[in-house]
C-alpha cells in the first residue's frame, strides 16, 4: 500500500503524516507527479488560503494531475475547498479544480456566531464507505471561515449558521471539511476507512 | 451544533510536567505525552502545553517534546511560552503543533501578531492575555503577570484580533488559583467585543463554574489545570454535568 500526501504550500502535512503513522500507515509527502500517479491512495491536505494555494498548484501542474487521478483521493479542509468550482476567499473569485460543482462561500455575518468556526461540531446524514461504522452526529474538529453548500455530492452535513457540506464524494474523489487527523478516535476511523477503500 | 470546549493546561519545565499530579493509570506522571494522551482519552477537546522554562537553551527540549506530542495525541493542541519570533513559531508548527500562543512578546511588538497570521494563518495564532482588575478597570499584565501595563484588556483584545489573532486565551489573575470561579464580566466583555473564540482561564473550582463561564461569561472554551491534575473534577463527569444542563459538549 502506497499512500502519498500531496506537498504544496498549504501546511500542516505533519499532522496528517503522524495520524497515518498512528494507524500503521507510512505515507510519503511529495509533489513528484510520477510518485503521486503511482500511489494507491492520495491525500490532499491543506491549511491556508485558496488563491495562493491554487496558484502554487497550477505553477507545478498539480491541478491537472489531481484531476487525472483514478485512485481514491481524499481532500482535507482547504484541500476539499480547492476541489470545488470556485472560492470567494479573500474577496477573490478563485477558480478551483472543479471536481465538485459547489462554490466555496464565506459564512454570512451573524451576531450569535463567530467566524471562523473553531472546534468540535456534529456530522450527520452520513453516506458512503468513508463513514462506515461512524455514528450519526459524531463530533469532528473544524477550523474554517468558508463553507461549501449542499449538493449532489454531499455525503455529510454540518450546521453552523446554516446547513452545509462537511463531506463530499464524486467517483474516486472524497473530501472532508473537518480535520480527521485531529478528531480523536472517530477521525482516526475515517482515515482507516479511506485507506481501506 | 458547535460544542463548548474543555481544555486542560499542562505546565512544562525541562520537558516534564510541573505540577504534582496523582494519576494511577500512567507510569510516568511527569511525562507530558502520557498525561496529555490520558486527557485526550477522557474527552478533553484540546490541550495547551505551556513551556515555563522557555530559555533559549531549553527550547530544543521543548521542540522535541512538541514532536512527540504531535505523534501521539489525536486532538488539537496549542503550545506557548517564550515565543517571540516568526522563526520560533515556524519551528513549533513544523514539529506538529496546531496552534501557538503569544503573550508578552505580542504586547511588546504587536506587529508579531500580524506577521504570524500572515505567515501561518490566523487559525494557529492564539493571543494569551493575563489580566488584572485594578480600580475599576481590567489591565494587561506581562511576564506571567509580574509586570503591569496601562493597556486596557478589551482594547488590546480588539487590536490583536484586527492584527490577526485567531483566538484569545484570557486569564484573570484575580481569579487564578482561587477556585472561586472564572472572571465572568471581563470574559463576557472580551467575548462580545471580538469575533473570534475566547478561552476563559483562571478560577475553575466547581462544575457550576463552567456553566457560569459558558452561559454568563459567553466563553467558547474553558481552560483549567489543577482541578484536572488533582482529579477534583473528572473530564467525563464534567461533560455529563454540562450536557444535562443544556450546554453543548462533545461526549
Amino acid at each position: 500500500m502506497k499512500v502519498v500526501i500531496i506537498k504544496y504550500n498549504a501546511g500542516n502535512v505533519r499532522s496528517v503524516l503522524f495520524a497515518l503513522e498512528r494507524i500503521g500507515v507510512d505515507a510519503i509527502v511529495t509533489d513528484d507527479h510520477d510518485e503521486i500517479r503511482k500511489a494507491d491512495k492520495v491525500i490532499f491536505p491543506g491549511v491556508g488560503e485558496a488563491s495562493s494555494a491554487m496558484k502554487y498548484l497550477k505553477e507545478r501542474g498539480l491541478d491537472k494531475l489531481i484531476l487525472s487521478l483514478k485512485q481514491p483521493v481524499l481532500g482535507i479542509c482547504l484541500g476539499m475547498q480547492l476541489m470545488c468550482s470556485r472560492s470567494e476567499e479573500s474577496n477573490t473569485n478563485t477558480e478551483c479544480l472543479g471536481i465538485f460543482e459547489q462554490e466555496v462561500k464565506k459564512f454570512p455575518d451573524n451576531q450569535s456566531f463567530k467566524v471562523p468556526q473553531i472546534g468540535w461540531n456534529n456530522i450527520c446524514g452520513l453516506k458512503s464507505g468513508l463513514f462506515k461504522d461512524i455514528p450519526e452526529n459524531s463530533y469532528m474538529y473544524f477550523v474554517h471561515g468558508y463553507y461549501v453548500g449542499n449538493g449532489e455530492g454531499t455525503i455529510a452535513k454540518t450546521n453552523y449558521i446554516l446547513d452545509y457540506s462537511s463531506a463530499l464524494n464524486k467517483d474516486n474523489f472524497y473530501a472532508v471539511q473537518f480535520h480527521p487527523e485531529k478528531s480523536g478516535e472517530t477521525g482516526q476511523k475515517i482515515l482507516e476507512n479511506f485507506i481501506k477503500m | 451544533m458547535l460544542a463548548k470546549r474543555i481544555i486542560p493546561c499542562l505546565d512544562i519545565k525541562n520537558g516534564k510536567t510541573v505540577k504534582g499530579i496523582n494519576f494511577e493509570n500512567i507510569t510516568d506522571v511527569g511525562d507530558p505525552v502520557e498525561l496529555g494522551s490520558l486527557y485526550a482519552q477522557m474527552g478533553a477537546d484540546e490541550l495547551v502545553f505551556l513551556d515555563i522554562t522557555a530559555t533559549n537553551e531549553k527550547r530544543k527540549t521543548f521542540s522535541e517534546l512538541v514532536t512527540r506530542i504531535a505523534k501521539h495525541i489525536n486532538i488539537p493542541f496549542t503550545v506557548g511560552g517564550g515565543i517571540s519570533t516568526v522563526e520560533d513559531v515556524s519551528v513549533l508548527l513544523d514539529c506538529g503543533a496546531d496552534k501557538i500562543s503569544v503573550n508578552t512578546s505580542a504586547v511588546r511588538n504587536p506587529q508579531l501578531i500580524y506577521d504570524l497570521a500572515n505567515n501561518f494563518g490566523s487559525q494557529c495564532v492564539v493571543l494569551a492575555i493575563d489580566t488584572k482588575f485594578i480600580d475599576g478597570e481590567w489591565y494587561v499584565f506581562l511576564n506571567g503577570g509580574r509586570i503591569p501595563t496601562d493597556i486596557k484588556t478589551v482594547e488590546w483584545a480588539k487590536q490583536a484580533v484586527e492584527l490577526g489573532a485567531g483566538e484569545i486565551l484570557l486569564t484573570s489573575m484575580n481569579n487564578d488559583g482561587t477556585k472561586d470561579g472564572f472572571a465572568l464580566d471581563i470574559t463576557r466583555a472580551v467575548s462580545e467585543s471580538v469575533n473570534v473564540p475566547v478561552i476563559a482561564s483562571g478560577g475553575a473550582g466547581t462544575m457550576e463554574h463552567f456553566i457560569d463561564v459558558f452561559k454568563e461569561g459567553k466563553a467558547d472554551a474553558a481552560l483549567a489545570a489543577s482541578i484536572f491534575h488533582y482529579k477534583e473534577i473528572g473530564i467525563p463527569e464534567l461533560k455529563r454535568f454540562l450536557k444535562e444542563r443544556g450546554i453543548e459538549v462533545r461526549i
Side-chain angles (χ1 to χ4, degrees):
Chain A
M1 168 78 67
K2 181 172 171 176
V3 178
V4 156
I5 300 171
I6 298 177
K7 180 179 164 188
Y8 68 120
N9 64 335
N12 226 11
V13 292
R14 202 87 195 266
S15 309
V16 179
L17 203 57
F18 287 151
L20 291 170
E21 264 181 42
R22 287 194 290 269
I23 57 170
V25 174
D26 277 323
I28 58 163
V29 181
T30 180
D31 57 1
D32 183 275
H33 288 211
D34 277 346
E35 293 272 12
I36 296 171
R37 236 182 253 118
K38 282 190 295 189
D40 299 302
K41 302 282 163 10
V42 175
I43 294 181
F44 181 40
V47 170
E49 191 272 325
S51 63
S52 54
M54 270 315 295
K55 184 165 173 277
Y56 184 99
L57 292 174
K58 280 185 178 167
E59 280 167 7
R60 284 156 186 78
L62 288 167
D63 56 334
K64 291 194 173 66
L65 175 74
I66 293 170
L67 287 172
S68 74
L69 296 174
K70 297 286 179 258
Q71 63 274 59
V73 177
L74 177 66
I76 298 176
C77 196
L78 180 65
M80 159 160 154
Q81 300 196 346
L82 296 178
M83 289 159 87
C84 292
S85 62
R86 347 185 49 88
S87 171
E88 62 177 37
E89 185 169 356
S90 321
N91 297 315
T92 61
N93 183 11
T94 304
E95 192 179 330
C96 298
L97 297 170
I99 294 165
F100 304 109
E101 61 182 20
Q102 288 100 317
E103 295 183 9
V104 180
K105 296 182 178 300
K106 192 172 194 343
F107 277 124
D109 285 336
N110 186 308
Q111 282 288 317
S112 328
F113 292 87
K114 296 180 174 183
V115 174
Q117 170 178 223
I118 299 181
W120 299 81
N121 203 337
N122 316 96
I123 53 172
C124 57
L126 307 180
K127 292 179 208 161
S128 117
L130 192 62
F131 297 113
K132 185 174 179 286
D133 300 328
I134 303 295
E136 278 288 314
N137 292 313
S138 289
Y139 281 99
M140 307 302 296
Y141 189 78
F142 290 84
V143 181
H144 63 123
Y146 295 80
Y147 73 95
V148 178
N150 292 328
E152 212 180 309
T154 302
I155 53 168
K157 292 178 189 173
T158 292
N159 189 281
Y160 190 72
I161 305 175
L162 40 76
D163 243 5
Y164 68 92
S165 293
S166 41
L168 297 168
N169 168 231
K170 186 180 178 187
D171 306 323
N172 55 318
F173 293 100
Y174 295 83
V176 292
Q177 180 62 68
F178 51 82
H179 288 275
E181 75 278 14
K182 284 289 158 184
S183 297
E185 308 268 319
T186 321
Q188 204 156 300
K189 177 71 188 145
I190 292 172
L191 286 176
E192 277 172 351
N193 286 342
F194 174 72
I195 295 299
K196 283 182 191 153
M197 274 176 174
Chain B
M1 203 172 152
L2 186 66
K4 300 288 187 184
R5 287 171 280 158
I6 301 295
I7 308 177
C9 177
L10 286 75
D11 286 347
I12 310 295
K13 197 171 185 179
N14 303 330
K16 293 272 176 188
T17 42
V18 180
K19 290 183 177 160
I21 296 156
N22 48 350
F23 279 105
E24 304 93 18
N25 324 355
I26 52 179
T27 50
D28 181 359
V29 288
D31 182 9
V33 177
E34 279 214 49
L35 187 59
S37 303
L38 187 66
Y39 281 137
Q41 282 164 26
M42 286 174 165
D45 296 304
E46 268 182 63
L47 298 168
V48 170
F49 295 89
L50 214 51
D51 186 19
I52 59 168
T53 36
T55 53
N56 285 330
E57 64 269 26
K58 301 296 181 202
R59 175 131 311 125
K60 196 163 170 288
T61 315
F62 191 56
S63 58
E64 283 165 4
L65 173 64
V66 170
T67 306
R68 279 211 303 131
I69 295 166
K71 275 185 186 230
H72 291 95
I73 292 182
N74 58 13
I75 59 170
F77 68 96
T78 302
V79 297
I83 294 169
S84 58
T85 65
V86 169
E87 180 55 29
D88 292 341
V89 171
S90 180
V91 169
L92 294 169
L93 294 178
D94 281 346
C95 291
D98 299 292
K99 311 178 198 181
I100 57 83
S101 74
V102 287
N103 189 334
T104 304
S105 58
V107 176
R108 301 260 190 237
N109 170 27
Q111 173 74 21
L112 177 66
I113 299 174
Y114 179 84
D115 292 342
L116 294 177
N118 209 24
N119 275 280
F120 311 109
S122 288
Q123 83 290 335
C124 67
V125 183
V126 179
L127 176 76
I129 304 177
D130 292 327
T131 186
K132 195 170 182 178
F133 190 67
I134 301 169
D135 298 334
E137 188 65 59
W138 288 93
Y139 292 99
V140 175
F141 275 65
L142 306 180
N143 287 42
R146 287 188 291 274
I147 301 176
T149 73
D150 56 8
I151 303 165
K152 292 177 182 170
T153 299
V154 171
E155 295 312 310
W156 172 228
K158 279 162 77 173
Q159 190 195 343
V161 170
E162 271 168 36
L163 286 166
E167 269 180 292
I168 305 280
L169 166 52
L170 182 70
T171 303
S172 163
M173 295 164 56
N174 301 73
N175 301 60
D176 204 20
T178 64
K179 297 193 177 173
D180 286 339
F182 294 93
L184 303 179
D185 54 346
I186 186 63
T187 303
R188 184 180 184 127
V190 171
S191 189
E192 286 180 340
S193 51
V194 296
N195 197 33
V196 301
V198 172
I199 305 162
S201 155
T206 67
M207 297 201 280
E208 283 79 7
H209 291 154
F210 288 85
I211 302 259
D212 296 341
V213 81
F214 290 136
K215 284 195 169 163
E216 288 173 48
K218 303 248 168 165
D220 300 280
L223 178 142
S226 54
I227 55 156
F228 296 138
H229 300 330
Y230 297 110
K231 290 195 293 189
E232 290 164 22
I233 295 176
I235 294 172
E237 53 169 324
L238 172 61
K239 285 193 149 183
R240 277 196 303 274
F241 180 86
L242 293 172
K243 197 176 179 83
E244 280 162 18
R245 281 152 188 82
I247 307 267
E248 186 75 16
V249 285
R250 177 181 70 110
I251 291 188

